[in-house]
Amino acid sequence: MVSIALEPLLHHQAAIRHANHRIYPKLAKATLFTSNCFSSRSLIRTGGRLSTFKPRRSFAVSACSASASASASASASASATSTSTTTDESAEIIYPLKRREMVEGKIFIRLDQGKNADNWKLTVGCSLPGKWVLHWGVHYLHDMGSEWDQPPVKMRPPGSVAIKDYAIETPLKKLAVGEGGYCLHEVKIDFNSNSSVAAINFVLKDEETGCWYQHRGRDFKVPLVDYLRNDRNAVGSRMGFGLWPGALEHLSSIFLKTEAPQPTSEGNSKESAEPMEPSKPLEGFYEEQSIVKEVIVDNSVSISVRKSPETAKHLVYLDSDLPGDVVIHWGVCRDNNKKWEIPAAPYPPDTEVFKNKALRTLLQPKEDGHGVRGLFTIDDGYHGFLFVLKSKDDTWFKFMGKDFFVPLPSSRSLSAQSEDQQSKGKGIDIASELHLCSKDLDNAIKEENEEVSQTSHTDVIINEIRSLVTDISTGKDWKTKSKEAQESILREIEKLAAEAYKMFRGSSPTFTEENVSMTEAGLAEEVMRPPVKTSSGTGSGYEILCQGFNWESHRSGRWYMELQEKAEALSSLGFTIIWLPPPTESVSPEGYMPKDLYNLNSRYGTTDELKAVVGKFHEVGIKVLGDVVLNHRCAHYQNQNGVWNIFGGRLSWDDRAIVADDPHFQGRGNKSSGDNFHAAPNIDHSQDFVRKDLKEWLCWLRKDIGYDGWRLDFVRGFWGGYVKDYLDATEPYFAVGEYWDSLSYTYGEMDYNQDAHRQRIIDWINATGGTAGAFDVTTKGILHSVLERCEYWRLSDSKGKPPGVVGWWPSRAVTFIENHDTGSTQGHWRFPGGKEMQGYAYILTHPGTPAVFYDHIFSNYQSEISALISLRNRNMINCRSIVQISKAERDVYAAIIDDKVAMKIGPGYFEPPNGPHHWSSVIEGKDYKAWEAV
């Protein structure tokens, strides 16, 4: 069994460890208060840092004692360029900051004996915060067919949930350990060594991030019998117990405190009647694996404002617990328009003018080393102090998407105070001056509470759905239901998904982007919230794909420029996505034998021409897919045996990057996770360095070239879980894989039932976690037989649904009738000649995402294809539309889609029935016709 999980490659990045950083699961609420006026529910400054003790929701501003003010002024005087006698006026605003940080941790696996020699306990844990789940199963003795099966019921810890028929998911329990407050999670599995279980397999999943953690790129395996202990994925080969070094050392001592075996008079029940093969007794072990995870760290910045009536200057004191070098871009404004200006000198040390619109200052480290601070002197007459912060890792910090704004008390507020109040030593009331900030902070808390509420509500819905699926998959009734009843339930689930999709899409707000200046500092920038992602990798559901090349397109040497000239025409036809040919240097001119992945000067054009054509398609509203070949790569050099298996260029891999079971290229990697492509070295995607390099390359293509998504070549060659890893890293708008294998035939005639064929495509989509679609090869093949043999009855399966992938998982089916391999000058599987428009009448009116071949667009079919695309768009037919098949007979197929569009193909007769709708014919051609409801 292979899981959809992939080990994150975070450990390839530079890990940052800060023992003093506090990690909180939620955003600390911003609080406004005045210095030295603390209560048990305030944010309290301790030792130059900020500690949170249930911050109150109300905001109080009151006067501060003269001693407190004097003390604060004195402590800040070292960084001030000038000082003066100040009043005791003081107020402070604290803003929450969130940043991402890489933290190190451990996965630990421990096997030790229970109360007697037969009872054992496997403990799996993790030292990082998260929502950890153990995805696990067992391998039984003498079972050669499957590495994963569900364990005996007695082995399953409380809270375990069955996953299909091969695995169990068990949540890890959170433990509080040690004075350092380290967050530990663990789960314990009890088992009997005399059972028929030969090994326990597992992977660890963090449900907060969706990341899966494996052992050397494969599943963890804990062998319980001798013959499995030499497996390369086996853990526990290093017997005995070890200690975690450094700050985590105390954790090991805790886990070593296990109960000693105790005699018991009770007999031990066997898990299974089948005895274990004779072997050495089990030995306990303790093993660790280092992991790195990106977490959200809560910090804050506080601003104190004081005013000196004698000098008419404001003293603005900034204090933050952000680590390392922090730069502040700052300025002042004269009114509520908050237009940035540069104030007059003096300035703090390490200050320079930035783009003549702001000042840039390196904040000074605090004496205790925990955070930074700064003191700024501002003349009277300004309305407010503006700033943004930039950390050492180039992270910009703003408040609610806007520049930080701190109101400065005006001279009018000073004169408004009576001389009697000042003579009595009472502080100047500046609460009104800070009212705007208080309102902003109130709004921030309100928005956060709403967000938490929505998140909680979402979690409830998701948990209910998961419970429903679990009940279905594990319930006795489900297994006894007929296949027809099961498929009926699945169809209802797809309908619900379609309805939810429509509601979600309709309620998602749209935003417009505004041109902003001063990009680097983000000054005076209004950051708009992006539209909600509907589904990463699967688009909006209304896409129409154009394949923008054929097998001979490389011959001109300027294909990109030719396509650029056709961009507006393709947009006017209604296409929303275009699939471009492979961009890399290639041994073959068509691009499918890539060599140097970073060299984008190909037979189709130069790198600059590629960027130009992508930019042009974006101008006309068409997104662009890059054709990426990840399965194989041609080598640059021969090894000592004369085999081409050493790579050059920027990705200078050696033979470890090639799978070991490719017989032609002497790879030293692991065995292939798919089918081999024998014309070039097959890449081993289980290697960490390979996946890291490919993800960097794909991200570079997204950022530098501007690709919006991917067409993935020959995905049969490697596990779909690796594809999920690549798509998670690049977040494409749309992605589709080419999973092409043979349909089922008997004595040369295509079988009616093609469920096994479409199931293989579905399985690949499943392995990607549903992050990509796949070309519906099943539908293409069935259309061939339908049109060649006049057997239109084939277009309805035994349940009255479309017989291809589009009938089972329409939102992931990319339907097509021809491409550069099947048609063009290759003609490996050419669509029945003269009947192309029947094929397009089918795929352009049905659910799924239809793809149209370049050769057909720029042919005498163009006007008919255009009319069908207009019909689809006009009636909002989408990838989840509902099909009601009206006829599937020898010479005619007819269907009604979403009660909006009716269609028929074949020479036989069909007219949509009159009823609640009146039907109007909109297009008719040779053996096809379409209507729309009016």
Side-chain angles (χ1 to χ4, degrees), residues 377-505:
T377 304
I378 310 296
D379 289 339
D380 190 24
Y382 292 107
H383 178 66
F385 177 78
L386 300 167
F387 71 96
V388 291
L389 298 173
K390 182 181 180 182
S391 66
K392 63 180 180 180
D393 60 354
D394 293 330
T395 299
W396 289 91
F397 295 96
K398 308 180 82 176
F399 178 61
M400 298 172 60
K402 300 180 181 180
D403 306 328
F404 290 100
F405 169 75
V406 180
L408 299 175
S410 65
S411 57
R412 293 190 303 274
S413 66
L414 290 174
S415 59
Q417 306 299 320
S418 66
E419 294 182 1
D420 181 61
Q421 284 180 310
Q422 296 184 35
S423 64
K424 292 180 180 179
K426 293 183 179 179
I428 302 171
D429 182 10
I430 63 169
S432 59
E433 297 287 343
L434 295 170
H435 178 64
L436 180 59
C437 276
S438 177
K439 286 181 63 178
D440 286 343
L441 295 172
D442 270 329
N443 291 335
I445 292 176
K446 182 179 179 182
E447 289 181 7
E448 183 201 349
N449 290 338
E450 290 175 354
E451 180 180 351
V452 171
S453 176
Q454 291 171 4
T455 302
S456 176
H457 180 61
T458 302
D459 289 342
V460 170
I461 294 174
I462 292 173
N463 288 335
E464 288 178 354
I465 293 173
R466 292 190 65 181
S467 298
L468 172 62
V469 173
T470 300
D471 291 343
I472 291 175
S473 63
T474 59
K476 296 180 180 178
D477 292 342
W478 175 254
K479 297 180 180 179
T480 59
K481 288 183 184 296
S482 66
K483 188 172 180 62
E484 181 177 358
Q486 292 180 4
E487 291 185 358
S488 175
I489 292 173
L490 294 175
R491 283 196 298 269
E492 288 303 313
I493 291 174
E494 182 66 31
K495 287 181 183 178
L496 288 173
E499 290 301 316
Y501 181 86
K502 289 178 183 177
M503 289 171 16
F504 175 74
R505 192 172 187 274

Side-chain angles (χ1 to χ4, degrees), residues 763-798:
D763 289 344
W764 179 82
I765 300 172
N766 246 332
T768 73
T771 56
F775 287 110
D776 192 349
V777 180
T778 314
T779 292
K780 173 179 168 62
I782 292 171
L783 281 170
H784 276 239
S785 283
V786 165
L787 299 175
E788 289 168 350
R789 304 168 62 91
C790 196
E791 294 176 343
Y792 291 85
W793 48 267
R794 290 181 178 272
L795 288 173
S796 177
D797 68 10
S798 59

Side-chain angles (χ1 to χ4, degrees), residues 698-760:
L698 290 169
C699 289
W700 173 73
L701 289 177
R702 284 273 278 141
K703 180 180 179 181
D704 220 57
I705 305 303
Y707 284 126
D708 302 291
W710 315 116
R711 182 265 184 186
L712 302 156
D713 183 66
F714 197 74
V715 296
R716 280 175 50 199
F718 55 104
W719 177 43
Y722 298 131
V723 173
K724 180 182 186 300
D725 195 20
Y726 300 137
L727 299 188
D728 286 346
T730 57
E731 297 185 342
Y733 175 80
F734 192 88
V736 56
E738 179 208 28
Y739 194 98
W740 182 6
D741 68 352
S742 298
L743 281 77
S744 300
Y745 293 84
T746 302
Y747 301 115
E749 181 177 337
M750 180 180 289
D751 295 341
Y752 167 67
N753 187 332
Q754 294 294 334
D755 287 356
H757 184 267
R758 57 175 166 175
Q759 184 62 58
R760 291 194 292 274

Side-chain angles (χ1 to χ4, degrees), residues 58-136:
S58 59
F59 300 98
V61 181
S62 58
C64 298
S65 66
S67 61
S69 177
S71 174
S73 298
S75 66
S77 61
S79 62
T81 56
S82 64
T83 57
S84 61
T85 305
T86 66
T87 69
D88 54 2
E89 172 193 1
S90 175
E92 188 172 38
I93 307 172
I94 294 183
Y95 294 95
L97 303 176
K98 273 186 177 292
R99 62 185 176 86
R100 297 182 180 273
E101 179 176 276
M102 307 304 295
V103 294
E104 293 181 359
K106 299 278 187 179
I107 293 175
F108 61 87
I109 305 102
R110 175 187 174 87
L111 181 67
D112 54 2
Q113 192 173 332
K115 295 183 179 180
N116 56 49
D118 294 333
N119 293 324
W120 288 78
K121 186 187 302 291
L122 175 67
T123 303
V124 180
C126 182
S127 65
L128 289 178
K131 190 176 181 181
W132 296 99
V133 172
L134 189 74
H135 184 90
W136 65 286

